[in-house]
Amino acid sequence: MKILLSGGGTGGHVYPALALMRRIQEVDPTAEFLYVGTEKGLESRIVKDYGIPFASVEIKGFKRSLSLDTFKTIQLFISSIKQAKKIVKNFQPDVVIGTGGYVCAPVVYAASKLGIPSVIHEQNSVAGITNKFLARYVTKIAICFEEAKNDFAKYAEKVVFTGNPRAQEVSNVQKKAALEAYNLDSEKPTVLIFGGSRGAKRINDAFIEALPMLATKDYQVLMVTGDVHYEKIKNQLTQINNDKFNVSVVSYISNMPEVFTTVSLVVSRSGATTLAELTALGLPSVLIPSPYVTNDHQTKNAESLVNKQAATLIKETELTGESLVQTLDELMLNPEMRQEMAGNAKQIGMPFASDTLIEVINQIVKK
Protein backbone atom coordinates (compact mmCIF):
# COMPACT_ATOMS: atom_id res chain seq x y z
CA MET A 1 0.00 0.00 0.00
CA LYS A 2 1.17 3.54 -0.80
CA ILE A 3 0.23 6.10 1.81
CA LEU A 4 0.61 9.87 1.59
CA LEU A 5 0.67 11.66 4.95
CA SER A 6 0.31 15.39 5.47
CA GLY A 7 0.23 17.48 8.62
CA GLY A 8 2.25 20.33 9.99
CA GLY A 9 2.74 23.49 11.94
CA THR A 10 2.94 21.87 15.39
CA GLY A 11 4.07 18.59 16.85
CA GLY A 12 0.43 17.89 17.72
CA HIS A 13 -0.23 17.46 13.99
CA VAL A 14 3.03 15.72 13.07
CA TYR A 15 3.52 13.11 15.83
CA PRO A 16 0.13 11.37 15.37
CA ALA A 17 0.94 10.95 11.67
CA LEU A 18 4.34 9.43 12.49
CA ALA A 19 2.84 7.18 15.17
CA LEU A 20 0.32 5.88 12.64
CA MET A 21 3.08 5.37 10.09
CA ARG A 22 5.20 3.34 12.51
CA ARG A 23 2.24 1.09 13.36
CA ILE A 24 1.44 0.53 9.67
CA GLN A 25 5.09 -0.41 9.10
CA GLU A 26 4.78 -3.03 11.86
CA VAL A 27 1.64 -4.48 10.29
CA ASP A 28 2.78 -4.14 6.67
CA PRO A 29 6.57 -3.77 6.22
CA THR A 30 6.05 -3.35 2.45
CA ALA A 31 4.00 -0.13 2.84
CA GLU A 32 5.43 2.94 1.12
CA PHE A 33 5.12 6.47 2.51
CA LEU A 34 5.46 10.04 1.36
CA TYR A 35 5.07 12.94 3.76
CA VAL A 36 3.98 16.32 2.41
CA GLY A 37 4.53 19.44 4.49
CA THR A 38 6.11 22.87 4.21
CA GLU A 39 9.83 23.56 4.24
CA LYS A 40 9.40 26.18 6.98
CA GLY A 41 7.27 23.99 9.24
CA LEU A 42 8.36 21.84 12.16
CA GLU A 43 7.46 18.79 10.09
CA SER A 44 10.31 19.29 7.61
CA ARG A 45 12.91 18.74 10.33
CA ILE A 46 11.10 15.99 12.25
CA VAL A 47 10.09 13.93 9.24
CA LYS A 48 13.48 14.15 7.57
CA ASP A 49 15.07 12.88 10.79
CA TYR A 50 12.99 9.71 10.35
CA GLY A 51 14.34 9.18 6.86
CA ILE A 52 10.91 9.32 5.24
CA PRO A 53 10.58 10.72 1.71
CA PHE A 54 9.42 14.32 2.09
CA ALA A 55 7.85 16.71 -0.41
CA SER A 56 6.82 20.29 0.21
CA VAL A 57 4.24 22.81 -0.95
CA GLU A 58 4.36 26.53 -0.40
CA ILE A 59 1.39 27.80 1.59
CA LYS A 60 0.61 29.83 4.69
CA GLY A 61 -2.36 30.11 7.02
CA PHE A 62 -5.29 32.45 6.50
CA LYS A 63 -5.70 35.42 8.79
CA ARG A 64 -9.13 36.03 10.25
CA SER A 65 -9.33 39.62 9.01
CA LEU A 66 -9.37 40.77 5.39
CA SER A 67 -6.24 42.49 4.13
CA LEU A 68 -3.94 42.61 1.11
CA ASP A 69 -2.05 39.76 2.71
CA THR A 70 -5.25 37.68 2.69
CA PHE A 71 -5.55 37.96 -1.09
CA LYS A 72 -1.89 36.98 -1.47
CA THR A 73 -2.60 33.97 0.74
CA ILE A 74 -5.52 32.97 -1.49
CA GLN A 75 -3.26 33.16 -4.56
CA LEU A 76 -0.69 31.03 -2.76
CA PHE A 77 -3.38 28.51 -1.82
CA ILE A 78 -4.48 28.16 -5.46
CA SER A 79 -0.85 27.71 -6.48
CA SER A 80 -0.31 25.13 -3.72
CA ILE A 81 -3.20 23.01 -5.04
CA LYS A 82 -1.38 22.74 -8.38
CA GLN A 83 1.81 21.75 -6.54
CA ALA A 84 -0.10 19.19 -4.48
CA LYS A 85 -1.81 17.65 -7.51
CA LYS A 86 1.57 17.16 -9.16
CA ILE A 87 2.97 15.48 -6.02
CA VAL A 88 -0.08 13.23 -5.67
CA LYS A 89 -0.03 12.22 -9.34
CA ASN A 90 3.68 11.38 -9.17
CA PHE A 91 3.38 9.28 -6.00
CA GLN A 92 0.01 7.70 -6.88
CA PRO A 93 -1.03 6.86 -3.29
CA ASP A 94 -3.77 4.41 -2.39
CA VAL A 95 -4.91 6.78 0.37
CA VAL A 96 -4.15 10.28 1.64
CA ILE A 97 -4.27 11.09 5.36
CA GLY A 98 -4.26 14.63 6.74
CA THR A 99 -3.55 15.17 10.42
CA GLY A 100 -4.13 18.92 10.58
CA GLY A 101 -2.41 22.21 9.91
CA TYR A 102 -2.99 24.40 6.88
CA VAL A 103 -0.61 22.38 4.68
CA CYS A 104 -3.24 19.60 4.64
CA ALA A 105 -5.76 21.80 2.81
CA PRO A 106 -4.23 21.72 -0.70
CA VAL A 107 -2.92 18.17 -0.33
CA VAL A 108 -6.13 16.49 0.82
CA TYR A 109 -8.23 18.68 -1.48
CA ALA A 110 -6.06 17.69 -4.46
CA ALA A 111 -6.41 14.02 -3.55
CA SER A 112 -10.20 14.26 -3.42
CA LYS A 113 -10.33 15.96 -6.82
CA LEU A 114 -8.18 13.16 -8.23
CA GLY A 115 -10.54 10.51 -6.84
CA ILE A 116 -8.17 9.17 -4.19
CA PRO A 117 -9.68 8.03 -0.85
CA SER A 118 -8.80 10.40 1.99
CA VAL A 119 -9.05 10.74 5.76
CA ILE A 120 -8.67 13.76 7.99
CA HIS A 121 -7.71 13.19 11.61
CA GLU A 122 -8.90 15.79 14.13
CA GLN A 123 -6.98 15.56 17.40
CA ASN A 124 -8.83 18.25 19.38
CA SER A 125 -12.31 18.57 20.83
CA VAL A 126 -12.84 21.62 18.58
CA ALA A 127 -12.11 21.16 14.89
CA GLY A 128 -9.47 23.30 13.23
CA ILE A 129 -10.34 25.56 10.30
CA THR A 130 -8.49 23.32 7.81
CA ASN A 131 -10.39 20.18 8.81
CA LYS A 132 -13.69 22.04 8.73
CA PHE A 133 -12.90 23.10 5.16
CA LEU A 134 -11.86 19.60 4.11
CA ALA A 135 -14.79 17.77 5.73
CA ARG A 136 -17.00 17.95 2.64
CA TYR A 137 -14.30 16.53 0.36
CA VAL A 138 -12.85 13.63 2.35
CA THR A 139 -13.98 10.01 2.55
CA LYS A 140 -13.76 9.71 6.35
CA ILE A 141 -13.31 12.03 9.35
CA ALA A 142 -11.46 10.50 12.31
CA ILE A 143 -11.94 12.14 15.72
CA CYS A 144 -10.41 11.77 19.19
CA PHE A 145 -13.03 13.58 21.30
CA GLU A 146 -16.76 12.91 21.06
CA GLU A 147 -17.30 16.67 21.31
CA ALA A 148 -15.69 17.14 17.88
CA LYS A 149 -18.75 15.53 16.28
CA ASN A 150 -20.55 18.85 16.67
CA ASP A 151 -18.19 20.52 14.19
CA PHE A 152 -18.85 17.85 11.58
CA ALA A 153 -22.63 17.54 12.06
CA LYS A 154 -23.29 18.07 8.33
CA TYR A 155 -21.11 15.06 7.53
CA ALA A 156 -22.08 12.78 10.42
CA GLU A 157 -22.03 9.68 8.21
CA LYS A 158 -18.29 10.20 7.61
CA VAL A 159 -17.31 10.57 11.26
CA VAL A 160 -15.60 7.71 13.08
CA PHE A 161 -14.14 7.76 16.59
CA THR A 162 -10.59 6.40 16.41
CA GLY A 163 -8.61 8.18 19.09
CA ASN A 164 -5.08 9.48 18.62
CA PRO A 165 -2.43 7.11 17.18
CA ARG A 166 0.03 8.49 19.71
CA ALA A 167 -2.05 6.78 22.43
CA GLN A 168 -1.34 3.30 21.08
CA GLU A 169 2.34 4.03 20.71
CA VAL A 170 2.60 5.26 24.30
CA SER A 171 0.45 2.48 25.76
CA ASN A 172 3.20 0.02 24.79
CA VAL A 173 5.97 1.97 26.55
CA GLN A 174 7.67 -0.07 29.27
CA LYS A 175 8.71 1.46 32.59
CA LYS A 176 12.40 2.25 32.04
CA ALA A 177 13.18 5.71 33.35
CA ALA A 178 14.56 5.89 36.88
CA LEU A 179 13.95 9.08 38.82
CA GLU A 180 17.44 8.77 40.31
CA ALA A 181 18.63 10.18 36.97
CA TYR A 182 16.94 13.42 38.08
CA ASN A 183 18.28 13.24 41.67
CA LEU A 184 14.95 11.97 42.95
CA ASP A 185 13.80 8.76 44.66
CA SER A 186 11.97 6.29 42.40
CA GLU A 187 10.11 4.89 45.41
CA LYS A 188 8.61 8.23 46.41
CA PRO A 189 5.29 9.70 45.14
CA THR A 190 6.23 12.17 42.41
CA VAL A 191 4.59 15.06 40.57
CA LEU A 192 5.79 15.87 37.04
CA ILE A 193 5.18 19.49 35.95
CA PHE A 194 5.78 20.68 32.39
CA GLY A 195 4.45 23.29 30.01
CA GLY A 196 5.32 21.80 26.64
CA SER A 197 8.64 21.46 24.84
CA ARG A 198 9.41 25.19 25.14
CA GLY A 199 7.92 25.60 28.60
CA ALA A 200 5.08 27.88 29.70
CA LYS A 201 5.91 31.13 31.49
CA ARG A 202 2.82 31.24 33.70
CA ILE A 203 3.31 27.67 34.87
CA ASN A 204 6.98 28.37 35.52
CA ASP A 205 6.15 31.56 37.46
CA ALA A 206 3.65 29.68 39.63
CA PHE A 207 6.25 26.99 40.26
CA ILE A 208 8.78 29.59 41.42
CA GLU A 209 6.20 30.98 43.88
CA ALA A 210 5.43 27.47 45.08
CA LEU A 211 9.06 26.37 45.43
CA PRO A 212 9.59 27.14 49.13
CA MET A 213 6.41 25.21 49.97
CA LEU A 214 7.12 22.27 47.64
CA ALA A 215 10.64 21.80 48.97
CA THR A 216 9.35 20.46 52.29
CA LYS A 217 6.53 18.18 51.12
CA ASP A 218 6.42 14.42 51.62
CA TYR A 219 6.05 14.01 47.87
CA GLN A 220 8.68 15.10 45.33
CA VAL A 221 8.48 17.25 42.20
CA LEU A 222 10.17 16.98 38.80
CA MET A 223 9.88 20.31 36.97
CA VAL A 224 10.55 20.67 33.23
CA THR A 225 11.06 24.36 32.48
CA GLY A 226 11.87 24.57 28.76
CA ASP A 227 15.26 25.87 27.64
CA VAL A 228 14.40 29.58 27.76
CA HIS A 229 13.39 29.58 31.43
CA TYR A 230 15.82 27.02 32.83
CA GLU A 231 18.64 29.20 34.20
CA LYS A 232 16.28 31.58 35.99
CA ILE A 233 14.46 28.75 37.75
CA LYS A 234 17.65 26.82 38.49
CA ASN A 235 18.99 29.90 40.30
CA GLN A 236 15.82 30.08 42.41
CA LEU A 237 16.28 26.43 43.28
CA THR A 238 19.81 26.80 44.66
CA GLN A 239 18.77 29.72 46.87
CA ILE A 240 16.39 27.64 49.00
CA ASN A 241 18.28 24.34 49.18
CA ASN A 242 17.87 22.46 52.47
CA ASP A 243 18.23 18.98 53.98
CA LYS A 244 14.76 17.82 52.90
CA PHE A 245 14.97 19.13 49.38
CA ASN A 246 12.88 17.03 46.99
CA VAL A 247 12.51 19.17 43.88
CA SER A 248 14.45 18.60 40.68
CA VAL A 249 14.52 21.02 37.73
CA VAL A 250 15.47 20.12 34.16
CA SER A 251 15.13 22.06 30.92
CA TYR A 252 13.85 19.23 28.72
CA ILE A 253 13.02 15.51 28.85
CA SER A 254 13.40 13.57 25.62
CA ASN A 255 11.85 10.32 26.87
CA MET A 256 8.68 11.84 28.34
CA PRO A 257 6.42 8.76 27.94
CA GLU A 258 8.91 6.66 29.90
CA VAL A 259 8.98 9.28 32.65
CA PHE A 260 5.16 9.27 32.67
CA THR A 261 5.29 5.62 33.75
CA THR A 262 7.34 6.52 36.85
CA VAL A 263 5.26 9.40 38.28
CA SER A 264 2.07 9.66 40.35
CA LEU A 265 0.57 12.84 38.92
CA VAL A 266 1.14 15.10 35.90
CA VAL A 267 0.62 18.87 35.73
CA SER A 268 0.56 20.15 32.16
CA ARG A 269 -1.17 22.00 29.36
CA SER A 270 -4.06 20.15 27.72
CA GLY A 271 -2.87 19.68 24.17
CA ALA A 272 -4.48 16.77 22.35
CA THR A 273 -1.35 14.61 22.14
CA THR A 274 -0.55 15.02 25.84
CA LEU A 275 -4.09 13.99 26.81
CA ALA A 276 -3.92 11.00 24.47
CA GLU A 277 -0.74 9.88 26.22
CA LEU A 278 -2.05 10.48 29.75
CA THR A 279 -5.29 8.58 29.17
CA ALA A 280 -3.57 5.71 27.38
CA LEU A 281 -1.36 5.24 30.46
CA GLY A 282 -4.14 5.95 32.96
CA LEU A 283 -2.48 8.91 34.67
CA PRO A 284 -4.29 11.44 36.88
CA SER A 285 -3.56 15.02 35.91
CA VAL A 286 -3.91 18.69 36.76
CA LEU A 287 -4.55 20.52 33.50
CA ILE A 288 -3.77 24.20 32.91
CA PRO A 289 -5.13 24.98 29.42
CA SER A 290 -3.26 27.47 27.28
CA PRO A 291 -5.47 30.50 26.61
CA TYR A 292 -3.42 31.36 23.51
CA VAL A 293 -4.83 28.69 21.17
CA THR A 294 -7.57 28.92 18.54
CA ASN A 295 -11.13 28.72 19.86
CA ASP A 296 -9.81 28.01 23.37
CA HIS A 297 -9.73 24.35 22.36
CA GLN A 298 -7.36 23.35 25.16
CA THR A 299 -9.99 24.28 27.75
CA LYS A 300 -12.52 22.13 25.93
CA ASN A 301 -9.99 19.29 25.70
CA ALA A 302 -9.41 19.51 29.45
CA GLU A 303 -13.11 19.67 30.26
CA SER A 304 -13.66 16.38 28.46
CA LEU A 305 -11.42 14.73 31.10
CA VAL A 306 -12.65 16.80 34.02
CA ASN A 307 -16.27 15.90 33.25
CA LYS A 308 -15.31 12.23 33.55
CA GLN A 309 -13.43 12.81 36.85
CA ALA A 310 -10.13 11.94 35.17
CA ALA A 311 -8.43 15.30 35.76
CA THR A 312 -8.56 18.59 37.64
CA LEU A 313 -8.49 21.94 35.86
CA ILE A 314 -6.84 25.20 36.93
CA LYS A 315 -7.49 28.20 34.72
CA GLU A 316 -4.34 30.14 33.93
CA THR A 317 -5.98 33.31 35.30
CA GLU A 318 -6.38 31.51 38.65
CA LEU A 319 -2.93 29.92 38.68
CA THR A 320 -0.66 31.02 41.54
CA GLY A 321 1.94 29.28 43.63
CA GLU A 322 -0.63 28.90 46.39
CA SER A 323 -3.38 27.46 44.16
CA LEU A 324 -0.88 25.06 42.61
CA VAL A 325 0.32 23.72 45.96
CA GLN A 326 -3.23 23.49 47.31
CA THR A 327 -4.27 21.37 44.31
CA LEU A 328 -1.16 19.19 44.52
CA ASP A 329 -1.68 18.58 48.25
CA GLU A 330 -5.30 17.61 47.68
CA LEU A 331 -4.26 14.91 45.23
CA MET A 332 -0.84 13.81 46.44
CA LEU A 333 -2.03 13.38 50.03
CA ASN A 334 -5.04 11.38 48.86
CA PRO A 335 -3.89 8.19 47.07
CA GLU A 336 -7.48 6.91 46.80
CA MET A 337 -8.55 10.02 44.86
CA ARG A 338 -5.56 9.67 42.52
CA GLN A 339 -6.32 6.02 41.96
CA GLU A 340 -9.93 6.79 41.07
CA MET A 341 -8.84 9.52 38.64
CA ALA A 342 -6.29 7.15 37.12
CA GLY A 343 -8.98 4.51 36.54
CA ASN A 344 -11.26 7.07 34.92
CA ALA A 345 -8.44 8.28 32.69
CA LYS A 346 -7.67 4.71 31.62
CA GLN A 347 -11.31 4.19 30.63
CA ILE A 348 -11.12 7.20 28.29
CA GLY A 349 -7.84 6.07 26.76
CA MET A 350 -7.68 4.56 23.27
CA PRO A 351 -4.81 2.04 23.41
CA PHE A 352 -5.70 0.68 19.95
CA ALA A 353 -6.15 4.02 18.18
CA SER A 354 -3.73 3.28 15.34
CA ASP A 355 -5.29 -0.12 14.68
CA THR A 356 -8.75 1.45 14.59
CA LEU A 357 -7.55 4.05 12.11
CA ILE A 358 -5.87 1.36 10.00
CA GLU A 359 -9.22 -0.47 9.82
CA VAL A 360 -10.83 2.72 8.51
CA ILE A 361 -8.07 3.06 5.89
CA ASN A 362 -8.48 -0.55 4.76
CA GLN A 363 -12.24 -0.06 4.37
CA ILE A 364 -11.90 2.91 2.02
CA VAL A 365 -8.89 1.91 -0.04
CA LYS A 366 -9.91 0.72 -3.50
CA LYS A 367 -9.04 -2.93 -3.96
Side-chain angles (χ1 to χ4, degrees), residues 256-269:
M256 190 66 85
E258 290 178 10
V259 174
F260 280 163
T261 66
T262 69
V263 301
S264 316
L265 179 70
V266 172
V267 180
S268 71
R269 293 299 200 192

Side-chain angles (χ1 to χ4, degrees), residues 4 6 84 88 96-99 103-114 116 118-120 131 134 137-139:
L4 190 153
S6 183
V88 173
V96 172
I97 302 161
T99 55
V103 69
C104 288
V107 177
V108 178
Y109 178 80
S112 71
K113 291 302 179 183
L114 293 169
I116 296 168
S118 57
V119 181
I120 50 173
N131 281 346
L134 290 170
Y137 302 105
V138 298
T139 315

Side-chain angles (χ1 to χ4, degrees), residues 13-271:
H13 296 315
V14 180
Y15 290 119
L18 295 177
L20 175 65
M21 182 203 71
R22 285 190 287 265
R23 179 56 181 159
I24 293 173
Q25 288 174 326
E26 290 175 0
V27 175
D28 178 11
T30 66
E32 296 179 50
F33 294 90
L34 173 67
Y35 200 109
V36 182
T38 66
E39 284 294 344
K40 295 180 180 178
L42 179 70
E43 64 274 13
S44 67
R45 187 180 75 251
I46 296 174
V47 172
K48 288 175 183 177
D49 285 346
Y50 279 84
I52 309 162
F54 182 85
S56 63
V57 296
E58 187 180 358
I59 187 174
K60 61 181 180 178
F62 285 90
K63 293 184 178 178
R64 296 182 181 272
S65 57
L66 283 175
S67 66
L68 178 62
D69 195 49
T70 302
F71 293 107
K72 290 180 180 177
T73 302
I74 292 171
Q75 288 179 321
L76 197 58
F77 176 65
I78 294 169
S79 170
S80 69
I81 293 172
K82 294 178 181 177
Q83 296 171 43
K85 279 186 176 179
K86 185 176 180 181
I87 292 168
V88 173
K89 285 178 180 178
N90 287 340
F91 185 61
Q92 296 185 333
D94 295 297
V95 64
V96 172
I97 302 161
T99 55
Y102 52 79
V103 69
C104 288
V107 177
V108 178
Y109 178 80
S112 71
K113 291 302 179 183
L114 293 169
I116 296 168
S118 57
V119 181
I120 50 173
H121 184 268
E122 177 54 63
Q123 296 91 37
N124 289 296
S125 55
V126 179
I129 188 170
T130 299
N131 281 346
K132 285 181 180 179
F133 163 73
L134 290 170
R136 67 179 293 182
Y137 302 105
V138 298
T139 315
K140 288 290 182 180
I141 301 166
I143 62 171
C144 303
F145 291 88
E146 290 289 346
E147 293 85 347
K149 283 182 178 178
N150 299 330
D151 290 324
F152 301 115
K154 287 174 64 178
Y155 310 100
E157 74 284 354
K158 297 181 180 182
V159 176
V160 57
F161 186 90
T162 64
N164 192 318
R166 187 68 181 142
Q168 181 162 343
E169 192 165 58
V170 168
S171 69
N172 296 322
V173 169
Q174 302 299 312
K175 185 174 180 178
K176 295 179 183 176
L179 293 176
E180 279 73 16
Y182 304 100
N183 298 314
L184 296 172
D185 183 351
S186 289
E187 301 303 315
K188 207 171 183 182
T190 305
V191 181
L192 170 66
I193 304 175
F194 71 102
S197 57
R198 290 179 291 182
K201 186 177 185 303
R202 284 297 300 272
I203 294 176
N204 288 342
D205 289 346
F207 171 75
I208 290 172
E209 286 180 40
L211 210 62
M213 295 175 273
L214 292 174
T216 58
K217 296 294 181 183
D218 290 331
Y219 55 86
Q220 58 191 6
V221 178
L222 174 57
M223 176 69 192
V224 187
T225 65
D227 290 337
V228 176
H229 311 277
Y230 176 70
E231 288 301 329
K232 176 184 176 183
I233 293 178
K234 188 69 174 176
N235 290 337
Q236 296 280 340
L237 195 69
T238 56
Q239 289 174 21
I240 62 165
N241 209 345
N242 59 48
D243 293 338
K244 198 185 176 182
F245 205 72
N246 55 359
V247 178
S248 180
V249 173
V250 296
S251 62
Y252 179 74
I253 292 177
S254 60
N255 60 331
M256 190 66 85
E258 290 178 10
V259 174
F260 280 163
T261 66
T262 69
V263 301
S264 316
L265 179 70
V266 172
V267 180
S268 71
R269 293 299 200 192
S270 47

Side-chain angles (χ1 to χ4, degrees), residues 277-311:
E277 294 172 349
L278 295 179
T279 55
L281 292 169
L283 265 174
S285 56
V286 177
L287 302 175
I288 306 165
S290 169
Y292 312 110
V293 295
T294 307
N295 295 327
D296 195 27
H297 67 252
Q298 282 207 7
T299 295
K300 296 176 177 67
N301 289 354
E303 286 172 347
S304 69
L305 269 67
V306 172
N307 291 340
K308 295 178 177 68
Q309 289 78 52

